């Protein structure tokens, strides 16, 4: 399977891996974005006090063919990327780009509101923004 | 066409991701596809100098200002990859299309290098 779930208990292992990855990338030893240990598409996740932002790097796809779902706090991105047409009698010298069906799953924090999710696609990047519930946003408490 | 991207980058601030490519050759030339997600058209640069083709692109993601990254698989905001073009390719006639983060380059073979069928005449 080419996808991996981000279980909360993997947090420390994930941080370790991330640090290693960043170190490697800083040295440019392994700068590939194919990242077959993660699968396609590569994803970045971040958060702000108001929302959780997910960036999926899915170049060359029709937005209609992407399926984005949030169910029970789990975000699923799936779709299919077609291989390029190879004319008859042509030689394929390098074949590194992903083709085929894909599916990736991210568990979202508990305080997100699935109804406030929005997604847009541009320049090959799918950006999903899921708002946090009003009640869980940081508030200043007045001292009486 | 040879991949000659430097493995050991001397300057860290210039570190870049290696975009995955497909290279397909037919009788009339070479077609190269490269995945450069996150790069807008005006941030993509294609350069042919002597026999070296360099593809470079800077990512531009509209991230909120107060975004804190919690998981990053794409850890650098830049792509770069260089290829050596062989002599029979016509670098003057390269055409490029860039759409949704996918670059399609067509490099035709010079007329004299294109495959020709040689008719065999009966003796």
């Amino acid at each position: 399977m080419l996808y991996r779930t981000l279980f909360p208990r993997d947090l420390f292992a994930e941080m370790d891996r991330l640090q290693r990855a960043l170190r490697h990338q800083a040295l440019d030893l392994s700068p590939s974005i194919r990242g077959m240990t993660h699968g396609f598409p590569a994803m970045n996740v971040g958060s702000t006090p108001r929302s959780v932002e997910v960036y999926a790097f899915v170049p060359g796809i029709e937005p209609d063919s992407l399926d984005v779902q949030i169910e029970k706090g789990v975000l699923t991105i799936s779709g299919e990327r077609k291989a390029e047409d190879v004319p008859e009698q042509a030689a394929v010298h390098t074949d590194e780009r992903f083709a085929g069906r894909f599916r990736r799953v991210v568990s979202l924090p508990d305080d997100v509101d699935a109804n406030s999710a929005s997604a847009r696609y541009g320049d090959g990047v799918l950006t999903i923004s899921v708002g946090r519930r009003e009640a869980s946003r940081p508030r200043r408490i007045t001292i009486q | 066409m040879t991949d000659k991207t430097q493995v050991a980058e001397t300057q860290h601030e210039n570190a870049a991701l290696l975009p995955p490519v497909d290279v397909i050759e037919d009788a009339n030339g070479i077609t190269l596809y490269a995945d450069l997600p996150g790069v807008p058209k005006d941030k993509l640069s294609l350069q042919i100098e002597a026999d070296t083709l360099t593809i470079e692109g800077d990512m531009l993601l509209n991230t909120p200002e107060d975004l804190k990254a919690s998981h990053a698989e794409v850890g650098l905001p830049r792509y770069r990859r260089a290829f050596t073009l062989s002599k029979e390719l016509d670098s003057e006639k390269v055409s490029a299309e860039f759409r949704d983060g996918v670059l399609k380059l067509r490099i035709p073979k010079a007329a004299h290098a294109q495959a020709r069928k040689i008719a065999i005449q009966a003796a």
Side-chain angles (χ1 to χ4, degrees):
Chain A
M1 278 299 184
L2 287 177
Y3 64 86
R4 67 187 268 169
T5 26
L6 305 173
F7 291 108
R9 66 160 178 263
D10 275 348
L11 189 64
F12 289 108
E14 200 58 41
M15 277 166 66
D16 257 358
R17 192 198 56 71
L18 196 63
Q19 264 186 347
R20 264 201 314 278
L22 285 174
R23 227 175 9 239
H24 274 240
Q25 284 191 332
L27 292 169
D28 226 8
L29 288 175
S30 172
S32 169
I33 62 157
R34 295 180 63 204
M36 291 321 282
T37 49
H38 312 296
F40 181 91
M43 288 171 89
N44 284 6
V45 182
S47 60
T48 73
R50 301 166 314 281
S51 65
V52 175
E53 308 280 327
V54 178
Y55 302 89
F57 295 80
V58 268
I61 238 173
E62 292 299 321
D64 300 346
S65 69
L66 278 168
D67 184 42
V68 181
Q69 283 186 25
I70 300 177
E71 197 188 346
K72 291 178 186 156
V74 174
L75 168 73
T76 306
I77 300 169
S78 57
E80 183 172 9
R81 188 158 101 138
K82 298 262 192 304
E84 303 297 342
D85 291 328
V86 177
E88 262 183 71
Q89 296 191 335
V92 178
H93 293 298
T94 314
D95 178 19
E96 299 169 346
R97 296 165 64 241
F98 176 90
R101 294 200 61 82
F102 58 85
R103 180 181 142 94
R104 285 204 71 181
V105 181
V106 179
S107 40
L108 298 169
D110 291 336
D111 61 0
V112 297
D113 176 14
N115 295 323
S116 71
S118 64
R120 59 183 188 277
Y121 183 75
D123 293 331
V125 179
L126 172 70
T127 307
I128 300 156
S129 177
V130 193
R132 291 179 188 273
R133 267 186 233 110
E134 199 73 51
S136 63
R137 288 182 194 170
R139 263 173 312 180
R140 190 171 293 279
I141 297 160
T142 336
I143 303 160
Q144 305 199 327
Chain B
M1 201 144 105
T2 330
D3 191 340
K4 67 166 188 188
T5 304
Q6 297 277 311
V7 174
E9 203 71 46
T10 42
Q11 282 171 302
H12 282 186
E13 59 265 36
N14 276 335
L17 301 167
L18 205 61
V21 298
D22 286 356
V23 178
I24 300 159
E25 178 172 4
D26 57 50
N28 302 319
I30 276 180
T31 308
L32 179 145
Y33 297 93
D35 280 351
L36 303 142
V39 178
K41 204 171 186 172
D42 56 327
K43 295 275 180 193
L44 177 74
S45 124
L46 298 169
Q47 213 180 328
I48 297 178
E49 205 185 320
D51 58 351
T52 303
L53 163 73
T54 309
I55 301 169
E56 262 184 300
D58 286 319
M59 268 181 237
L60 195 73
L61 297 179
N62 290 317
T63 50
E65 262 178 40
D66 49 353
L67 185 80
K68 281 189 197 138
S70 53
H71 174 83
E73 291 166 7
V74 178
L76 291 168
R78 190 173 299 116
Y79 301 95
R80 189 186 314 113
R81 196 157 178 180
F83 299 91
T84 303
L85 302 178
S86 46
K87 287 213 166 54
E88 80 271 21
L89 295 171
D90 191 346
S91 58
E92 302 283 313
K93 288 186 187 149
V94 178
S95 60
E97 283 170 46
F98 188 52
R99 189 168 171 256
D100 290 336
V102 177
L103 169 71
K104 181 184 178 184
L105 268 183
R106 177 72 188 165
I107 314 165
K109 289 181 187 173
H112 63 85
Q114 291 197 5
R116 272 172 305 172
K117 197 157 179 95
I118 299 164
I120 302 163
Q121 296 181 345

